[in-house]
Amino acid sequence: MTNSEKDAGVIEVLVQRLEQQRLPRALDLKALVDRGERLSSLDIAFLDEALEDASEVKPFFDQHPEWQDLAGRIAHLYKEITTKALENEQGAS
């Protein structure tokens, strides 16, 4: 298996996980915090895991600039969620 075949397989798995798991959940969390609600411990654990995974695949995206725009948009979504979640927490106390 060549490096490009291996990379294609990694991309396929990452995109599938994003489409089926990460993005739907992240969009649900965005809607939740936009309504002024607070994140549960499960929501926070999801974000923690997603951000940890993102840091692990960052070197891969550094080698594949064609995917950096998508990675940047997802990172921005996570930032929006966490920023709004923090505002909601501070407003609740």
Side-chain angles (χ1 to χ4, degrees):
M1 179 181 291
T2 67
N3 275 347
S4 92
E5 290 172 331
K6 182 179 176 184
D7 287 355
V10 170
I11 289 169
E12 184 177 338
V13 169
L14 292 174
V15 169
Q16 183 178 18
R17 183 188 312 161
L18 178 64
E19 288 177 338
Q20 295 176 1
Q21 298 172 4
R22 301 298 167 119
L23 189 56
R25 181 83 188 272
L27 292 173
D28 287 346
L29 293 180
K30 176 79 166 85
L32 184 123
V33 297
D34 284 347
R35 290 191 306 265
E37 296 181 40
R38 297 165 64 188
L39 297 178
S40 72
S41 58
L42 290 175
D43 297 333
I44 294 168
F46 165 80
L47 287 171
D48 186 47
E49 180 182 324
L51 293 171
E52 188 175 311
D53 286 352
S55 70
E56 289 178 11
V57 297
K58 184 184 180 315
F60 177 81
F61 286 114
D62 289 344
Q63 295 175 3
H64 295 275
E66 66 273 21
W67 291 97
Q68 288 180 354
D69 181 59
L70 176 61
R73 287 187 285 154
I74 297 300
H76 182 72
L77 176 60
Y78 289 144
K79 181 183 182 303
E80 287 179 325
I81 293 167
T82 56
T83 299
K84 185 65 178 170
L86 179 60
E87 289 175 14
N88 294 350
E89 285 294 327
Q90 291 172 338
S93 33

